[in-house]
Amino acid sequence: VMLVKSILSQQVSVAAASAMYATLQLKLPQQRVTPANVAHFLATGSDDEIRSCGLSRQKRAYIADLAARFAGGSMPRSFARMDD
């Protein structure tokens, strides 16, 4: 979740990033931002539906790659507990 928020907040205001995250969250099953839910939405959602979340082509690509890596298991499970 934090990495998605970080990507969304790049080059936009905090308020805009929060709105983008909230809109994305509404599009997902049970409004849960999980790697599987995000990957599925970005793979199957229409361009208009994805753009309605405020995702540029580049942010969409970054978030899709991130979700695929987590969903695919290539990111360590301990990632959330790692320090900077």
Side-chain angles (χ1 to χ4, degrees):
V1 171
M2 289 306 298
L3 290 175
V4 171
K5 286 182 178 182
S6 179
I7 292 168
L8 291 175
S9 67
Q10 293 172 355
Q11 299 181 347
V12 298
S13 70
V14 173
S18 293
M20 291 164 55
Y21 183 82
T23 305
L24 174 64
Q25 194 173 20
L26 289 172
K27 305 281 185 183
L28 302 176
Q30 300 172 344
Q31 298 181 8
R32 294 194 58 219
V33 181
T34 65
N37 285 350
V38 171
H40 184 264
F41 172 68
L42 294 178
T44 63
S46 70
D47 287 338
D48 288 339
E49 190 174 30
I50 293 167
R51 263 195 308 273
S52 76
C53 298
L55 294 178
S56 65
R57 212 173 320 129
Q58 197 62 46
K59 286 183 183 190
R60 178 182 181 175
Y62 290 149
I63 293 172
D65 180 62
L66 177 68
R69 289 175 189 269
F70 272 99
S74 66
M75 297 297 283
R77 290 190 174 266
S78 61
F79 185 83
R81 294 185 307 275
M82 293 179 170
D83 60 25
D84 290 343

